[in-house]
Amino acid sequence: MADRYGSDVLSGDWRAPKRGRAVEHPADKGLVVEEVTTDWCGEIVAVDRDLHTVTLEDRRSRRRTFPLGAGFLLEGRPVILTAPVRAAAPAAPARTASGSVAVPNAPARVARASRIFVEGRHDAELVEKVWGDDLRIEGVVVEYLGGVDDLADHLRDFRPSAQRRVGVLVDHLVPGSKESRLAQGIARSAVGPHVLIVGHPFVDIWQAVKPARLGLDAWPRIPRNVEWKHGVCQHLGWPHRDQADIARAWKHILGRVGSFADLEPALLGRVEELIDFVTAP
């Protein structure tokens, strides 16, 4: 039987329940939803705002991560999962992120002539987040160093001296590495007494964040022929197609750092050493 528009009103299963339009619903932990394209059904156990993902755990304790948004069923009805409403921000801490006693409304000191160079943007952002308050009170400026190969040119332009000291933080400073040989060469040069180069043993600054802060037992081991950041994202099921995905992954990692307690000691000691060096009388 056809209706006035010529469509067959009895085509399909007319007895099936109508799901209706999808409506937005916060992805609160504990809700049980189904991802329709994979038929994966599970309880919401984690939501990441930076990566825009939701993690479901099924009855066998297996977990899978999906993008937030449309494509889910809640009690048989289509929903568009959104990030839950944030809780109120906590009161200001009595200490800075580095563990120093906080000085409310303290003005930034006039910048010293000495500087700290940090290799890598992610490294510089991490130093700023944890030690930023201390550095402003001490008047220490942190400058981004594109790569350790550029260090000699930076020092030549800066002209270090007893009144213009330079502290340098580089990645993967281990015996026998290129970075180690370069640091030894500068230490033997005329500016050596006024330059302190320190480094951490990690392949990348991401590893300086304690893996437990991301729910990991350890950072994944990535084959040497795979770019480390992309390999980590792929291993953890995070988007990793382009640099924008890598930037979002770092934002997610950095968001898990609230203070020095979230970082490995191998990085903490090196940064404190640089600050002491450039602020010494």
Side-chain angles (χ1 to χ4, degrees), residues 17-26 31-37 69-82:
K18 301 298 187 291
R19 287 177 171 171
R21 291 180 177 273
V23 296
E24 289 191 351
H25 196 287
L31 288 180
V32 176
V33 297
E34 177 184 352
E35 205 280 331
V36 296
T37 61
F72 297 90
L73 297 179
L74 174 62
E75 297 180 350
R77 297 181 179 277
V79 292
I80 302 170
L81 292 181
T82 61

Side-chain angles (χ1 to χ4, degrees), residues 106-136:
R109 176 174 173 169
V110 175
R112 296 172 182 264
S114 300
R115 293 286 186 274
I116 291 179
F117 295 156
V118 177
E119 181 189 13
R121 293 192 184 281
H122 294 175
D123 307 56
E125 290 172 357
L126 186 60
V127 169
E128 164 59 28
K129 182 166 188 178
V130 176
W131 288 274
D133 290 339
D134 305 64
L135 292 169
R136 279 182 282 278

